[in-house]
Amino acid sequence: MIHFTLKSAKQPNYEMAYNVLQKSISEEYGRHSYILRGSDLRSDERQRFKDIIKGNADKDDYATALAFLSRCLKKYHNSNVVILIDEYDVPLENAYFKGFDFVRSLLESALKTNDALEFAAITGCLRISRESIFTGLNNLEVISILSQGYAEYFGFMQMEVKKLLQYYEVEEREQELKEWYDGYQFGETEVYNPWSVLNYVKEAAVYAQRFPKPYWANTSSNNIIRELIETSDSAVRAEIEQLIDGRTIEKPIYEDITYEDIHSSGDNLWNFLFFTGYLKKVGENFKSDQIYLKMAIPNKEVRGIYRRTFMLWFDEKIKKENWSELHQALFDKNCSVIEMKIKSILTKSICFHDEAEQFYHGFMVGILSRLDGYDLFSNREAGEGRPDILMLPYDEQGIVFIFEFKKADAFSYTEVLCEAALEQIKKRQYDAECRENGYKKFIKYGICFCRKSCRVKAVSEFE
């Protein structure tokens, strides 16, 4: 039996990916080096076997290495071999995103025309497509996320989780564990993410106050979510907001989708997210000869992946923007220009409605932190409270900026809430300590956000 895990993920180019797979193949050969002792291998086959173990073989030899190893095993054991391949689509994902194709030859030679093969079991997130990967591979039995057969083996069932929690005497963590790691649906069976559950329970058993963490997220490159965000238009961004807000979207489903299909249809990225575990099925409809799935984010762990991936992308986007016009408008107290610039970037963003105030705060920190000559303090104690953002110039003769933010549920409230923000700055004396330290010039901003719009008001004080 050959068990082969393809882990060339996160390699930046073909050469490095090839080297990783070459090393893995050499290690696999090392496990079967007993074949060289007293087997029926010819001298040239023995030499090829040794070259692969030592890493001295040609690239063509590595591209057909699994097929060659299975023939060697058959000669030694006088029996056909079983090949188990785990995560076959990990290097295929990188082949799409990074640009290498070595793995196609590796898998085709092992599975398509291999007379020494009894059968193979291949696991991965995406369905095997003959047209995309194995152009001549037949007689496949595909068990997908939509299949009912074997569904209970894709993760932990509720009863198994209960027994695990009881064994480690952390039954009180059941609800938290369910919110973070449950929610995956295979066929009609709901299962927990086994990797995350095991890590969570292990840590909870040692330290009762341990907070849940995104264990599965740290094993994935999350390229698919980033691809979705980077190519999204306003309609897609609205759907992402719906999902993060705990609501659902409905999309047609295509089981035979491949990496090459990502951009051929506006719905294909959603299919990728579903088949790779970033979305779950919560309903199903049949319309005009097409299956439609109602989908949602499975749990808090995956929801956090969407948030973090977006925030990383958004931080990079902010760094590339030219904020000189807005920064000048801050000094000029030009509220209309400030509003215009903030709105322009908000319309391209994804807002987290359940944590809107925190999102807007982080959004403004990202913009204002690019202003040269200033130290930015977020929620630092000042006067009788904590201003949202306090910006102190390196030179005490410069202007101190104080920002207070509000969030409105309707546009009609933005005006009054801006005034309330300015009144809060004044009433709680957010400028008192700055004045004691010799600063004499202040511009205070009250900004109220409503969805992807805002209203800005300002007052200035110069002694």
Side-chain angles (χ1 to χ4, degrees):
M1 180 174 69
I2 303 172
H3 178 272
F4 199 66
T5 303
L6 298 174
K7 290 189 176 179
S8 64
K10 302 180 183 178
Q11 297 304 317
N13 55 48
Y14 174 90
E15 196 63 37
M16 291 187 69
Y18 165 74
N19 290 337
V20 170
L21 285 171
Q22 178 196 52
K23 184 174 184 295
S24 299
I25 292 168
S26 296
E27 290 173 352
E28 178 70 16
Y29 266 69
R31 292 178 54 243
H32 299 285
S33 58
Y34 58 83
I35 293 173
L36 295 172
R37 301 190 298 272
S39 71
D40 294 328
L41 296 185
R42 302 189 308 269
S43 59
D44 61 317
E45 291 174 328
R46 288 174 177 269
Q47 186 59 51
R48 181 180 176 185
F49 198 104
K50 291 177 182 178
D51 288 341
I52 291 175
I53 290 179
K54 295 177 181 179
N56 297 328
D58 295 332
K59 286 190 176 182
D60 289 344
D61 288 330
Y62 286 106
T64 57
L66 291 183
F68 176 62
L69 177 58
S70 60
R71 291 196 296 272
C72 294
L73 287 168
K74 180 178 181 179
K75 281 189 175 184
Y76 185 87
H77 293 286
N78 197 29
S79 176
N80 283 344
V81 303
V82 175
I83 297 180
L84 307 178
I85 299 178
D86 188 24
E87 299 185 52
Y88 87 94
D89 54 345
V90 171
L92 292 176
E93 177 185 357
N94 283 272
Y96 172 76
F97 286 109
K98 305 294 184 181
F100 59 88
D101 199 30
F102 169 80
V103 71
R104 185 189 301 270
S105 298
L106 180 70
L107 298 181
E108 279 189 345
S109 62
L111 304 175
K112 189 170 73 171
T113 56
N114 185 359
D115 294 335
L117 180 66
E118 182 70 17
F119 69 87
I122 308 166
T123 68
C125 293
L126 297 181
R127 179 170 178 161
I128 293 174
S129 169
R130 289 196 303 135
E131 293 78 15
S132 174
I133 305 169
F134 310 121
T135 55
L137 189 61
N138 298 310
N139 303 319
L140 288 172
E141 180 183 0
V142 179
I143 302 166
S144 79
I145 193 171
L146 296 172
S147 306
Q148 185 57 39
Y150 306 98
E152 67 272 22
Y153 300 112
F154 285 96
F156 289 158
M157 306 283 283
Q158 181 65 44
M159 185 54 65
E160 293 171 320
V161 170
K162 280 183 174 290
K163 289 181 179 179
L164 187 65
L165 292 170
Q166 290 170 359
Y167 180 85
Y168 285 98
E169 299 179 347
V170 288
E171 298 98 314
E172 72 280 1
R173 309 297 289 269
E174 181 177 348
Q175 184 58 36
E176 182 177 69
L177 187 146
K178 184 175 183 65
E179 291 174 356
W180 272 78
Y181 310 118
D182 190 16
Y184 298 95
Q185 186 112 355
F186 288 83
E188 300 302 320
T189 303
E190 188 166 317
V191 297
Y192 288 72
N193 182 325
W195 172 255
S196 296
V197 168
L198 290 174
N199 279 278
Y200 173 86
V201 172
K202 180 176 67 175
E203 293 195 8
V206 175
Y207 179 48
Q209 303 304 316
R210 179 70 68 192
F211 296 117
K213 296 192 298 188
Y215 301 103
W216 176 62
N218 293 333
T219 68
S220 172
S221 67
N222 304 321
N223 279 331
I224 293 173
I225 290 183
R226 187 176 179 92
E227 179 87 357
L228 176 70
I229 292 170
E230 289 180 344
T231 60
S232 63
D233 55 21
S234 59
V236 172
R237 287 194 294 271
E239 290 177 307
I240 297 174
E241 289 178 2
Q242 281 181 240
L243 290 167
I244 294 176
D245 201 32
R247 292 175 285 164
T248 63
I249 61 172
E250 188 174 76
K251 297 292 176 182
I253 201 71
Y254 310 105
E255 287 196 71
D256 57 350
I257 194 168
T258 67
Y259 284 102
E260 291 85 350
D261 299 327
I262 283 183
H263 297 296
S264 63
S265 163
D267 293 324
N268 282 353
L269 269 173
W270 296 113
N271 276 258
F272 267 74
L273 290 168
F274 173 69
F275 283 110
T276 51
Y278 293 102
L279 292 173
K280 70 172 181 178
K281 182 183 83 170
V282 296
E284 187 173 354
N285 291 306
F286 192 72
K287 305 175 186 176
S288 303
D289 301 325
Q290 176 65 55
I291 296 174
Y292 284 77
L293 295 187
K294 186 178 289 185
M295 297 182 286
I297 294 176
N299 50 47
K300 288 185 176 180
E301 180 180 36
V302 178
R303 193 168 178 237
I305 297 175
Y306 282 87
R307 291 175 180 272
R308 284 186 298 277
T309 304
F310 168 74
M311 292 310 298
L312 286 172
W313 169 81
F314 191 62
D315 286 345
E316 293 175 9
K317 189 175 182 63
I318 284 180
K319 291 176 183 177
K320 295 176 182 177
E321 289 281 339
N322 183 354
W323 296 107
S324 58
E325 185 180 1
L326 182 141
H327 291 161
Q328 185 58 50
L330 291 174
F331 287 97
D332 296 339
K333 214 171 59 171
N334 190 336
C335 295
S336 60
V337 171
I338 297 172
E339 288 177 5
M340 178 190 68
K341 293 297 289 184
I342 292 175
K343 289 177 184 178
S344 71
I345 194 69
L346 278 176
T347 58
K348 305 170 188 174
S349 71
I350 296 169
C351 180
F352 308 140
H353 298 289
D354 61 329
E355 295 181 8
E357 291 186 27
Q358 181 180 341
F359 167 78
Y360 293 131
H361 187 106
F363 170 80
M364 291 303 297
V365 167
I367 292 175
L368 297 173
S369 63
R370 318 231 75 76
L371 183 59
D372 292 333
Y374 277 81
D375 286 326
L376 184 150
F377 300 95
S378 174
N379 287 317
R380 190 184 81 162
E381 189 172 346
E384 298 177 6
R386 296 176 181 273
D388 283 319
I389 294 178
L390 175 65
M391 297 184 65
L392 297 180
Y394 298 159
D395 182 356
E396 74 276 4
Q397 299 300 314
I399 298 173
V400 174
F401 292 103
I402 302 176
F403 296 85
E404 188 64 31
F405 308 129
K406 299 295 182 182
K407 172 187 167 293
D409 295 325
F411 296 118
S412 57
Y413 298 143
T414 55
E415 180 89 15
V416 67
L417 286 175
C418 278
E419 296 289 354
L422 291 173
E423 181 61 25
Q424 181 176 324
I425 294 173
K426 179 180 178 181
K427 185 176 181 179
R428 297 187 181 180
Q429 301 178 41
Y430 289 155
D431 58 351
E433 184 179 345
C434 297
R435 294 184 186 279
E436 291 174 3
N437 289 329
Y439 292 101
K440 297 181 179 181
K441 299 176 183 178
F442 297 84
I443 298 181
K444 304 169 184 179
Y445 282 99
I447 302 179
C448 182
F449 296 93
C450 182
R451 286 176 286 213
K452 296 189 178 181
S453 184
C454 70
R455 187 66 188 273
V456 179
K457 282 188 170 293
V459 295
S460 57
E461 299 174 9
F462 295 89
E463 296 181 11

